[in-house]
Each structure stands twice: as C-alpha cells, then as structure tokens.
C-alpha cells in the first residue's frame, strides 16, 4: 500500500468515525429532549398539586373560591383575598402550561385537561366581572388573547 492510498484510507476511516459520532450525538440530543419534556410535565403536575393540597386541607378556600367565581361581590373581603391568591397561582401555572403546549413540550392529550379547567375558571361570572379585568395585565398579551378567544366548556358542571 502506498502512502497516498494509506492517506485515503485514513480519510475514509476518519469520515466514518465522524458520521458515527454525529449519529450518536443526534441520539443523545433526542433522548435528552424527551427527558426534558418529562421533567417539564412532571414539574407542572407537582405545581398543580402544590396549590391543590392546601385547598383540600382548607374548606374555607373551597368555599371562597366557589363564591368568588360565581359572583365576586357575594364573597366577603377575606374570601376574595383567598380566591385571588388561588386564582393568580392557577392562572400563572396555566399560562406556563399553555406555553409548554405551544412549544410542543406538553402534548395535546395532556393539554385538554388543563384547557378545560382554565376555560371553566376564566369564563366563570366572578372571574369575568371582577377578577380578570383587574389582574389580566399580570399575564402575557399572547395568553390574554388566547383566553379571550375561548368559550366556556360545555357540560363541565359547576365550581360549587
């Protein structure tokens, strides 16, 4: 084998090794992307549990939320304060889930449940008449536009 042939063989081996490395890196990136999606979805699940566990432990929160979402004015000042903090946390979390869904991190089957609950709260009387108009600017313009284009879910039941 001549020196020139050895050089060509070395280049071929190098090219094959480079292609193998690129394929390996591609698989690693794909696996990492899947893992990151799982982490994001798990993070959303943990966050919703973090705001729902106190709600389960406090009947006052459930009562405040039911009153305030039905008719903001019918709730006492304390009930409106409690409902506000829950709603703010829930809408911020839902905004995050909405962005995750838009980025294809949260798939459409997972988003359906989030969207239904979000629309239920958003279209409730107390939220529409009093809470949202005063708090909407805390959310991105894109999220505000998305919510404005939605309709109340059908056959979901009551928040009470």
């Amino acid at each position: 084998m001549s020196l020139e042939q050895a050089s060509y063989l070395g280049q071929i081996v190098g090219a094959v090794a480079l292609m193998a490395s690129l394929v390996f890196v591609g698989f690693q990136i794909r696996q990492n992307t899947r893992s990151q999606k799982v982490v994001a979805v798990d993070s959303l699940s943990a966050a919703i549990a973090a705001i729902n566990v106190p709600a389960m432990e406090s009947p006052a929160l459930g009562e405040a939320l039911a009153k305030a979402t039905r008719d903001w004015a019918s709730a006492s000042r304390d009930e409106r304060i409690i409902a506000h903090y829950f709603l703010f946390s829930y809408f911020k979390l839902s905004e995050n889930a909405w962005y995750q869904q838009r980025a294809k991190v949260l798939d459409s089957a997972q988003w359906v449940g989030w969207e239904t609950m979000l629309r239920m709260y958003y279209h409730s009387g107390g939220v529409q008449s009093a809470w949202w108009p005063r708090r909407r600017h805390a959310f991105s313009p894109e999220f505000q536009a998305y919510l404005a284009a939605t309709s109340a879910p059908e056959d979901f039941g009551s928040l009470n």
Side-chain angles (χ1 to χ4, degrees), residues 30-151:
R30 187 174 178 190
Q31 183 178 8
N32 186 43
T33 301
R34 284 184 187 153
S35 296
Q36 290 302 316
K37 285 182 177 186
V38 168
V39 168
V41 170
D42 188 51
S43 174
L44 288 171
S45 296
I48 197 67
I51 65 172
N52 276 314
V53 168
M56 290 184 307
E57 294 172 348
S58 171
L61 173 57
E63 188 174 326
L65 194 57
K67 276 187 182 179
T69 55
R70 183 178 55 249
D71 177 11
W72 193 258
S74 74
S76 70
R77 180 180 185 278
D78 288 345
E79 289 170 330
R80 289 192 303 264
I81 290 170
I82 292 169
H84 160 71
Y85 284 111
F86 177 86
L87 289 168
F88 187 80
S89 297
Y90 186 79
F91 274 77
K92 271 298 178 186
L93 184 56
S94 295
E95 180 181 36
N96 185 323
W98 179 72
Y99 274 107
Q100 297 289 345
Q101 180 264 338
R102 282 184 54 193
K104 306 276 191 253
V105 173
L106 194 65
D107 68 32
S108 59
Q110 293 167 317
W111 172 242
V112 168
W114 281 95
E115 181 187 38
T116 303
M117 287 295 295
L118 175 59
R119 289 172 36 222
M120 182 190 68
Y121 280 116
Y122 177 74
H123 290 286
S124 67
V127 170
Q128 283 293 300
S129 68
W131 187 83
W132 184 253
R134 293 180 180 98
R135 301 293 184 260
R136 68 184 176 88
H137 296 296
F139 302 91
S140 71
E142 295 87 2
F143 186 63
Q144 291 178 49
Y146 162 75
L147 286 175
T150 66
S151 59

